Structure formats: structure tokens, C-alpha cells
């Protein structure tokens, strides 16, 4: 039996956590209510985006990992990648978070696997 939290509740919790920490969160794309994949784009102080996706480890736990980083020279490539993901998987959730300290937010709020 899968004990995974439904995607819509997990997304809601992530957005509330960032807001409680003084940041801003919004859903860019709503996916499948219960089981959609969640992608998180974190902007640190309105800078370039860092994309996180949960990936399975050898021990079976699923941990958030940096999957893609937006680069100054080609910001559009990052946006194009997100668009392709939405086209390939309409069930995917894409959540954008603006935080003051990305590493601290990830450590404190996304480290449970």
C-alpha cells in the first residue's frame, strides 16, 4: 500500500510552509489531484530558478533533488523545459516558490523523504 500524501495536499502544505516563512508560493500548473508528480521551482530572492524533483534512492525513499538550474545566458531554456514537462505529463504539478534562503528552506521543509 502506498502511504504517499495526495499531491494536492502536499502542494498546499509546501505553499503554506513558504508563506509561513515569509516567502511566496503559487501553483503554475495543477496536476492530477491525488497522484501527480510534483516539481518545485525555487527562486531565491527573485533570482534564477532551481528545479527540484523527488527521485528514488537505493533505500526506497524519495528525496528532493536539484534536477535543473536556470542559467543567466539562456533563461528561456528553463521555461521551455517546464512547458515540455507539462505537455509530456499533464498530471504534473509545477509549484513556484520565492524564498530568502533556498538551501535552508529545502533542508527544513523538503528533507523528509
Amino acid at each position: 500500500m502506498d502511504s504517499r500524501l495526495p499531491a494536492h495536499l502536499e502542494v498546499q502544505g509546501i505553499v503554506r510552509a513558504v508563506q509561513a516563512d515569509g516567502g511566496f508560493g503559487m501553483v503554475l500548473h495543477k496536476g492530477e489531484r491525488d497522484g501527480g508528480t510534483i516539481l518545485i521551482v525555487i527562486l531565491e530572492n527573485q533570482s534564477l530558478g532551481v528545479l527540484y524533483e523527488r527521485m528514488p534512492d537505493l533505500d526506497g525513499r524519495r528525496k528532493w533533488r536539484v534536477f535543473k538550474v536556470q542559467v543567466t545566458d539562456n533563461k528561456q531554456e528553463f521555461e521551455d523545459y517546464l512547458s515540455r514537462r507539462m505537455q509530456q505529463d499533464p498530471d504534473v504539478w509545477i509549484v513556484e516558490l520565492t524564498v530568502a534562503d533556498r538551501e535552508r528552506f529545502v533542508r527544513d521543509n523538503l528533507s523528509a523523504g
Side-chain angles (χ1 to χ4, degrees):
M1 181 174 173
D2 189 7
S3 62
R4 180 178 169 196
L5 190 64
H8 74 283
L9 292 178
E10 186 173 2
V11 166
Q12 190 175 60
I14 292 168
V15 170
R16 286 188 178 168
V18 89
Q19 290 170 341
D21 199 35
F24 178 76
M26 69 178 184
V27 175
L28 298 178
H29 185 264
K30 278 188 177 182
E32 203 281 322
R33 180 174 168 82
D34 292 323
T37 298
I38 300 171
L39 303 179
I40 298 176
V41 176
I42 298 182
L43 307 173
E44 189 172 34
N45 294 320
Q46 302 287 337
S47 64
L48 299 173
V50 178
L51 178 65
Y52 285 82
E53 185 169 355
R54 200 170 355 214
M55 305 299 258
D57 267 352
L58 295 176
D59 63 6
R61 296 186 319 166
R62 296 168 47 239
K63 295 182 182 177
W64 291 101
R65 305 257 187 240
V66 172
F67 192 76
K68 190 163 196 58
V69 177
Q70 191 174 32
V71 294
T72 305
D73 296 343
N74 192 357
K75 291 181 179 182
Q76 187 59 45
E77 191 273 334
F78 189 84
E79 300 299 327
D80 292 345
Y81 176 80
L82 294 177
S83 294
R84 282 194 308 274
R85 286 293 299 261
M86 285 186 283
Q87 290 172 348
Q88 294 168 351
D89 181 5
D91 293 337
V92 71
W93 288 78
I94 300 178
V95 182
E96 183 177 277
L97 308 175
T98 301
V99 301
D101 184 341
R102 177 178 55 88
E103 290 180 6
R104 184 186 58 76
F105 182 81
V106 170
R107 180 189 65 238
D108 295 349
N109 296 282
L110 300 180
S111 60

